Amino acid sequence: MKKPLRLRDPQPAETPTDVRILDIAADHIRRHGIERTTILSIAAEAGMSHANIYRYYPSKTALIEEISAQWLKPLEAALHVIGDAPDPAFDKLERLVFALHRAYRDKIETDPAIFALFSAASAQGAAIARRHYGRRDSEMRRILDEGASGPGFDPIDPKRALALILDAAYRFIDPIAMKLDLEVQRAVLEQRMGRVTKTVFRALSTGRI
């Protein structure tokens, strides 16, 4: 009688080298801070030369920006989904602002060292921050254009409308400002944000901005 064939357990997929480097770098930043994290220390833990690190990331700055991009990309995709939704424009704008606020707040609370990279990039006007804000603003403009062409908004200047939203929501969606509110309970901040957004949307509905 033949013995039944035994299927081999599938081998775990090997983590791509570029992702492994990012994981190690992020862990070093969490444990040692950005200043004490070096390409040499990352290379040593990865078991490769520092020259090999530069094959994937041409500089420490590029490596740090990619660490920030890893958690910003899913957020940006979620904003795009909100923009694509069939909901009324007012509802989509409110959901988008709340999605930004909650994603930032979650990151501050659960992964402060990595959030600090993005906060510093914002303060410095670094490329990763400019790209992120460009995508955020693009989604907001898309919703504003949709609202202006349908019921709900009076004819408005899209640039002024976007500026009004960003100015009014600054406390709730700017990473540097949000760090100052860490002691404020989330529920309290969200109540305040809800009142602010409703006030802004009333102004948009009249076109008096």
Side-chain angles (χ1 to χ4, degrees):
M1 182 176 178
K2 292 183 178 180
K3 293 182 179 179
L5 292 175
R6 293 184 60 189
L7 297 177
R8 293 183 179 181
D9 293 333
Q11 294 298 310
E14 185 176 347
T15 303
T17 301
D18 58 337
V19 175
R20 184 162 164 261
I21 291 169
L22 283 180
D23 289 344
I24 292 171
D27 182 59
H28 280 218
I29 290 168
R30 292 183 183 106
R31 289 190 286 124
H32 309 303
I34 185 62
E35 296 300 329
R36 294 176 59 194
T37 296
T38 67
I39 295 296
L40 286 174
S41 65
I42 295 167
E45 183 166 338
M48 62 181 67
S49 69
H50 70 281
N52 201 37
I53 301 287
Y54 290 125
R55 288 180 53 206
Y56 296 92
Y57 303 101
S59 66
K60 182 179 177 181
T61 298
L63 178 57
I64 291 169
E65 289 208 344
E66 187 58 29
I67 291 171
S68 293
Q70 289 300 300
W71 72 269
L72 289 173
K73 286 175 184 175
L75 170 58
E76 291 162 0
L79 299 183
H80 189 72
V81 169
I82 292 172
D84 278 343
D87 314 43
F90 279 136
D91 293 346
K92 291 199 289 190
L93 277 173
E94 185 173 44
R95 283 172 55 205
L96 189 147
V97 172
F98 270 80
L100 279 168
H101 173 77
R102 288 167 177 163
Y104 291 168
R105 181 77 183 215
D106 287 345
K107 196 66 175 178
I108 295 173
E109 292 179 350
T110 63
D111 203 358
I114 303 304
F115 185 84
L117 300 182
F118 174 56
S119 180
S122 296
Q124 297 160 8
I128 182 67
R130 294 198 306 272
R131 288 194 296 270
H132 174 64
Y133 293 139
R135 291 165 183 148
R136 174 202 68 186
D137 293 355
S138 177
E139 294 301 332
M140 287 189 177
R141 282 194 297 267
R142 188 159 69 101
I143 297 172
L144 286 167
D145 288 343
E146 177 187 317
S149 64
F153 293 173
D154 270 12
I156 53 175
D157 181 329
K159 289 184 179 180
R160 290 179 63 189
L162 177 61
L164 176 64
I165 294 169
L166 295 178
D167 289 346
Y170 178 84
R171 176 179 184 178
F172 309 107
I173 61 173
D174 179 82
I176 300 170
M178 287 186 65
K179 288 171 67 176
L180 301 177
D181 274 335
L182 268 179
E183 300 303 316
V184 182
Q185 292 182 357
R186 294 180 65 142
V188 172
L189 274 179
E190 291 198 8
Q191 286 175 355
R192 292 176 180 174
M193 185 167 59
R195 289 195 292 269
V196 168
T197 54
K198 284 178 172 56
T199 300
V200 170
F201 296 161
R202 280 198 296 269
L204 292 175
S205 68
T206 64
R208 296 174 183 175
I209 59 170

